[in-house]
Amino acid sequence: MVVKVSLLYACETWTLYNRHMKLLNSFHLTCLRSILRVKWQDKITNSDILSHTNMFSINTLIERSQARWAGLVVRMDETRIPKQLIYCELTEGNRHQGRPKLRYKDCIKSTLKSLEIPFESWEEVSMNRQNWRRKIHEGAISAESRRRQEAEDKRKQRKAKTSARTI
């Protein structure tokens, strides 16, 4: 538990790329396997480890934290610095060549999409704290089950390819 808290310290404000999520998730599952004394030779899937421990993946934990923080910021007074930073726009400056860096707004948008919360109306929904937390909880459960199902489908496809090669 202490490792998870230290690992996810201030994750509400992070802008994460997929490669960062994979590294965090890998570390989390490695820790869980170590705690459960499960070796990789035992051929137990990550989904089985998470369901056995009754835990969410790191992706879902981060998305849930970011959504809760975004709702808190929306409910803040206009004079508070976090709200001013999220809603501000730069008036001058140069952009580097290539793909733009990921912004916090982009992360919130993908988080809300993953949690099945409509981006167009999320600010109105977040004004009611209890309703917002309920939506986040329901979205986290559905996102986690969707992730596990996708991982299982991907595993089945990989197994089907390897069995077709051996025949």
Side-chain angles (χ1 to χ4, degrees):
M1 184 67 168
V2 175
V3 174
K4 187 172 70 169
V5 172
S6 299
L7 180 67
L8 297 180
Y9 181 75
C11 69
E12 299 89 8
T13 59
W14 294 349
T15 53
L16 293 170
Y17 291 91
N18 284 336
R19 66 181 183 270
H20 300 135
M21 286 286 208
K22 285 180 183 179
L23 288 170
L24 289 168
N25 205 29
S26 172
F27 178 75
H28 179 237
L29 287 164
T30 302
C31 290
L32 287 177
R33 286 175 182 274
S34 174
I35 291 168
L36 296 173
R37 292 189 175 100
V38 174
K39 297 179 182 129
W40 67 270
Q41 293 98 337
D42 297 337
K43 297 186 179 181
I44 298 176
T45 64
N46 292 339
S47 299
D48 291 341
I49 295 287
L50 289 172
S51 62
H52 178 71
T53 57
N54 200 20
M55 294 183 75
F56 287 132
S57 66
I58 288 291
N59 299 20
T60 306
L61 294 174
I62 290 173
E63 288 172 350
R64 194 172 62 179
S65 296
Q66 286 181 343
R68 286 175 59 187
W69 172 251
L72 176 66
V73 170
V74 167
R75 291 188 300 272
M76 282 182 184
D77 186 43
E78 301 293 329
T79 59
R80 301 276 308 269
I81 292 174
K83 189 162 188 172
Q84 290 174 356
L85 287 175
I86 287 181
Y87 287 104
C88 73
E89 294 286 332
L90 293 177
T91 56
E92 57 186 61
N94 297 340
R95 295 182 81 176
H96 298 287
Q97 187 175 5
R99 182 178 178 175
K101 297 279 186 194
L102 199 59
R103 301 174 302 173
Y104 184 72
K105 288 181 183 180
D106 301 328
C107 289
I108 290 298
K109 192 172 187 177
S110 67
T111 294
L112 294 174
K113 183 179 177 183
S114 175
L115 296 177
E116 298 174 349
I117 299 172
F119 184 71
E120 299 78 29
S121 62
W122 77 275
E123 291 173 332
E124 293 90 35
V125 174
S126 68
M127 289 307 214
N128 181 348
R129 184 174 181 266
Q130 286 78 24
N131 187 29
W132 179 244
R133 290 184 66 122
R134 184 181 48 79
K135 280 209 170 284
I136 291 171
H137 182 70
E138 292 169 357
I141 291 172
S142 67
E144 185 66 22
S145 65
R146 189 174 54 250
R147 273 193 191 94
R148 288 183 187 178
Q149 186 61 44
E150 288 172 1
E152 186 64 31
D153 293 343
K154 193 174 178 181
R155 185 173 189 268
K156 284 180 183 176
Q157 287 176 351
R158 191 174 63 245
K159 293 290 183 183
K161 283 182 184 178
T162 57
S163 65
R165 287 182 196 159
T166 57
I167 294 177

